[in-house]
Every structure is written in C-alpha cells, then in structure tokens.
C-alpha cells in the first residue's frame, strides 16, 4: 500500500511517500522557521498561507524523487490535529480533495501518534509494548504503548511542555526562535555545575512533569548573574530539564515492566538527553529507540507511516472512502484513539 502523508499542523510543511512493503520512498520538508523568527514565534495566519504555497510543490517533489505518479497512490494521510486550525485545514483540504479526485481513501492522523510511531520507520523497529516519552514543543507525555492506537497515559506536564521550556529559556537568553537547538548548542560550551537550578517534581512519585518553575528560576538567575553568563545558565537549565526527563522515563519503564523506551518529538533531538538516556537506560536493562534525527521534529514521513498503519487496518476501505466533508481537531487527546 502506497500512502502519501501530509503534515501541516504548525510551522513545517512535510510531505512523504511510504510504502508498506518497500518502506519510506521519499520525503520533503519546508520549514517556516526563518519566516517566523522575525516575530519571535509562530504567526498562525502566515503559517497557513505558507503551507498553501508549499504543499503542492513538495508533493510533486516526492512523487518525482520516488518515480511514482498520483495513479500509484492507494491512500492519503494528513495531520488532522492537534495543531493550528488554519494550518491543519490546508493539509486536510488538500489531502481530502486529492483522495476524492483519485477515488482512494483518506485518513486523518493524530500528530502525536505520528511522532510516537516515528521510531518504527526503521529496519530494526522496537517491538510492542514500549514506554514512549513524547517531548515536543506543545506536549510532554509518558505513554504506555502496547500497539497502534493502544495508548495509556502514564503522566504528562502540568504546565509548560519540555520544548516550550527550552524555547522560553532560549528567549530569556536572547537566542531567538525556536530556541531548543540554539540553547543546546550554547549549553555545550557552558559549565552545568556553575549554577544550580531546581529539578521540578523529580521526587513527586508519579510520572507528571512541571517546567514553568524552572523557567522562572532561569529568569531570576538571568537577572542576578546577567547575560554574560548565558552559556553556564543554558547548561544548568539543560541539565535540570534532562535529569527530570530521564529519571521519570526510567521510573515509568520500571513501573510498567517495559524493556523498551521510545523517545519522540523535537526535544528528542537533544544530544544531552540522548546521551544520558541511553547510558542510564542500559544500566536499568532498558533499550532506547529514537527516530532518525530528521524525524524528531515535524515531518511528513511520520504521518505517512501512521496513516499507512491505520489505512491497512480498516476492515473495509469503504469506511475511509473519500468524502468532501472533513474536520480538523486543534485539540485532540491521544489516549482517546482507537486501536487498529
Ligand atoms: O516535535 P516538534 O518539531 O514540534 C511540535 O510538535 O511541537 O518540536 C519542536 C520543539 C521546539 O520546542 C524546539 O525548541 C525543540 O522541539 N527542539 C529541541 C531541540 N531540537 C528541537 N529542544 C532541545 N534540544 C534540541 N536539540
Ligand atoms: Zn510535532
């Protein structure tokens, strides 16, 4: 089954072709980071307009790179939520219209399910069950995953998401948007032991997180120490955030008896998180699986892959037959998905 995947939930237009037998055939991405950088964050209306400009050229690009034509497609998958309404509507509208024209099924994919299953786009995918640490710009969750659509929420952030904490801290340090990559680059040149920052909820005994206090502690520290110490502050922040993420992820594995941990979402690209997790997990008999680095942040491949799992499982493709009526879900609970 050949599936075209379209991601347009936020500030990246991603398109990919995934074949259930041959694997990932092609993927293409346009990031709007430069455009939004000027405003210090994503401007939803500009995001939607840019998705409109990019989605068809990117689709032509993946078709031509893979040597496929529209007639080869068996289905179309698109991000139906969560995300920015206008941005989601661009991908959803394009995908639904294409599926209708080709008389093939279309399926709306949950963006976080895409992230969570992205480590499965691999020659050596993790087996179920596993614990998933989802760390993106909008979400921080620990899930127990026993199959596609079989998700039990173990814990989540009570306030800011991990990526949001990286972004806001980077902003306090004058690093621009999105701050995660810039902050971790600066942190690599700093001394993490110079300043001590709190590890919120480290010993709370559950799998929930809180990052807003950490951000406030950084603000206080910046006021006291000044921006000349930015590298040391960045390193201290990163060490605190990573320690909480590592500790809670391993506690969740212990609690659920899982021997595999999957890390997904933009913060999963963080080098210190990867190093610490891999080392400490090994000591606990847990193997960690990451998506390819380019699939940590938003991309079309994860949507094509998750869509292929869902389309393949439909008992009768009539259930997903093209229909010009569609809706997007800017807010959508991952644990509410149905199993395939
Ligand atoms: O998954 P993603 O691309 O978008 C959402 O679905 O939210 O995640 C983006 C987030 C941003 O907050 C960004 O700062 C963060 O991931 N990020 C990082 C790194 N690369 C991206 N955070 C820390 N270290 C990184 N290397
Ligand atoms: Zn994402």
């Amino acid at each position: 089954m050949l599936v075209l995947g379209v991601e347009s939930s936020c500030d990246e237009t991603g398109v990919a072709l995934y074949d259930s037998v041959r694997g990932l055939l092609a993927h293409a991405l346009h990031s709007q980071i430069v455009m939004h950088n000027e405003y210090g964050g994503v401007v939803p209306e500009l995001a939607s307009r840019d998705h409109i400009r990019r989605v068809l050229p990117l689709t032509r690009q993946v078709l031509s790179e893979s040597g496929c034509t529209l007639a080869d497609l068996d289905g179309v998958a698109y991000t139906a939520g969560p995300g920015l309404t206008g941005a989601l509507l661009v991908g959803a509208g394009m995908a639904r219209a294409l599926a209708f024209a080709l008389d093939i099924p279309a399926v709306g994919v949950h963006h976080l399910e895409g992230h969570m299953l992205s480590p499965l786009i691999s020659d050596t995918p993790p087996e179920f069950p596993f614990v998933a640490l989802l760390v993106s710009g909008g979400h921080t969750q620990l899930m127990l995953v026993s199959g596609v659509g079989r998700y039990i929420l173990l814990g989540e952030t009570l306030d800011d998401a991990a990526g949001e904490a990286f972004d806001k801290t980077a902003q306090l340090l004058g690093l621009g948007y999105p701050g995660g990559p810039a902050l971790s680059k600066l942190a690599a040149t700093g001394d993490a032991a110079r300043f001590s920052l709190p590890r919120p909820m480290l010993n709370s005994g559950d799998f929930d997180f809180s990052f807003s206090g950490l951000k406030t502690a950084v603000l206080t520290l910046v006021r006291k120490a000044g921006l000349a110490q930015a590298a040391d502050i960045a390193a201290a922040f990163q060490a605190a955030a990573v320690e909480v993420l590592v500790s809670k992820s391993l506690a969740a594995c212990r609690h659920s008896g899982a021997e595999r941990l999957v890390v997904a979402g933009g913060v999963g690209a963080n080098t210190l998180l990867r190093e610490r997790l891999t080392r400490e997990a090994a000591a606990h008999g847990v193997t960690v699986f990451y998506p390819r680095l380019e699939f940590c942040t938003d991309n079309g491949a994860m949507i094509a892959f998750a869509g292929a799992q869902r389309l393949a499982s439909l008992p009768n493709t009539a259930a997903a037959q093209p229909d010009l009526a569609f809706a997007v879900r800017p807010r959508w609970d991952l644990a509410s998905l149905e199993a395939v």
Side-chain angles (χ1 to χ4, degrees), residues 111 115 136 298 302:
H111 180 80
H115 273 302
S136 70
D298 292 350
M302 66 185 195

Side-chain angles (χ1 to χ4, degrees), residues 123-139:
D123 295 335
T124 51
E127 282 173 29
F128 297 113
F130 54 73
V131 165
L133 171 66
L134 272 174
V135 270
S136 70
H139 295 82

Side-chain angles (χ1 to χ4, degrees), residues 111 115 136-138 163 166-167 180-181 184 265-267 269-270 296-298:
H111 180 80
H115 273 302
S136 70
F166 270 88
D167 292 340
S184 71
V267 183
N270 185 271
C296 280
T297 41
D298 292 350

Side-chain angles (χ1 to χ4, degrees), residues 274-285:
R274 286 178 170 236
E275 280 171 13
R276 288 283 304 274
L277 256 187
T278 304
R279 199 172 62 224
E280 294 190 26
H284 289 82

Side-chain angles (χ1 to χ4, degrees), residues 308-329:
Q309 312 306 309
R310 294 211 161 262
L311 285 167
S313 79
L314 291 175
N316 171 357
T317 44
Q321 274 314 305
D323 173 354
L324 278 182
F326 63 91
V328 294
R329 305 182 66 171

